Amino acid sequence: MALDRWIALAFIALCCVYGYAAFFTMDAQLPPILRRNPVWPSTFPKILTVLGLIVGFIVLFSRKPNTGAAPKEGAIDLTRLGDYHIGQAIALLVLMVVYALTLRPLGFLGSTVGFLVLGSLILGERRFHILIPVAMLAAGSIWYLVQEVLGIFLRPLPAMFM
């Protein structure tokens, strides 16, 4: 079985677990008065589950394209998967997890600037005189929009400074 079909099978399994939570466990915690509403908190997850299963089954059971044709420009060749920058992709995924874990200890501004700078370094950017000010401006702008415009509290600095 091709790699795209294995990924589709894993996606279908994930949708089944998500759907079980949406259809059976989320609605059990609703108070009786909310059970009469036409839209419940589980409505959108149920829609996502059904759409995800449809897409997964389409990918799983679709016919393979004719391999005699020349590959398109920019298409990923699954037989040469090792030639791509898999290390960079894994490093970015690890960096995302580290970013989520450092949001409270470092505050939003510190962890976001660190994530943007380190992520850019992983991807190959080396112009620090542009990289650091842009990361600081982006993090500060997002913090301002979330904190001041939307009114959602977002700790900008570590707890020791506040």
Side-chain angles (χ1 to χ4, degrees), residues 104-161:
R104 285 188 191 262
L106 295 180
F108 179 78
L109 293 176
S111 59
T112 303
V113 169
F115 173 76
L116 291 174
V117 169
L118 291 175
S120 298
L121 287 174
I122 289 172
L123 294 175
E125 182 61 46
R126 297 292 184 258
R127 294 180 290 183
F128 293 107
H129 64 282
I130 296 174
L131 176 65
I132 293 172
V134 168
M136 291 172 68
L137 181 67
S141 300
I142 292 170
W143 174 83
Y144 179 78
L145 287 173
V146 170
Q147 175 79 25
E148 302 299 326
V149 176
L150 294 177
I152 300 171
F153 176 71
L154 193 57
R155 183 181 310 237
L157 300 173
M160 67 179 125
F161 292 117

Side-chain angles (χ1 to χ4, degrees), residues 7-157:
I7 293 172
L9 193 62
F11 183 71
I12 290 170
L14 180 71
C15 285
C16 288
V17 171
Y18 187 68
Y20 178 79
F23 280 95
F24 298 110
T25 62
M26 288 178 73
D27 297 337
Q29 300 169 0
L30 282 176
I33 195 164
L34 292 179
R35 293 180 189 219
R36 295 189 183 124
N37 288 346
V39 177
W40 292 359
S42 66
T43 302
F44 188 65
K46 288 176 182 176
I47 293 170
L48 282 178
T49 298
V50 171
L51 291 176
L53 287 172
I54 290 170
V55 169
F57 282 121
I58 287 173
V59 171
L60 187 64
F61 293 119
S62 64
R63 291 182 16 190
K64 286 195 80 134
N66 186 5
T67 57
K72 294 180 181 177
E73 174 89 23
I76 297 175
D77 186 8
L78 296 177
T79 60
R80 298 182 325 116
L81 198 59
D83 294 343
Y84 298 108
H85 300 284
I86 302 288
Q88 283 181 337
I90 292 172
L92 283 174
L93 289 173
V94 169
L95 187 61
M96 287 179 203
V97 172
V98 170
Y99 172 70
L101 294 174
T102 60
L103 272 171
R104 285 188 191 262
L106 295 180
F108 179 78
L109 293 176
S111 59
T112 303
V113 169
F115 173 76
L116 291 174
V117 169
L118 291 175
S120 298
L121 287 174
I122 289 172
L123 294 175
E125 182 61 46
R126 297 292 184 258
R127 294 180 290 183
F128 293 107
H129 64 282
I130 296 174
L131 176 65
I132 293 172
V134 168
M136 291 172 68
L137 181 67
S141 300
I142 292 170
W143 174 83
Y144 179 78
L145 287 173
V146 170
Q147 175 79 25
E148 302 299 326
V149 176
L150 294 177
I152 300 171
F153 176 71
L154 193 57
R155 183 181 310 237
L157 300 173

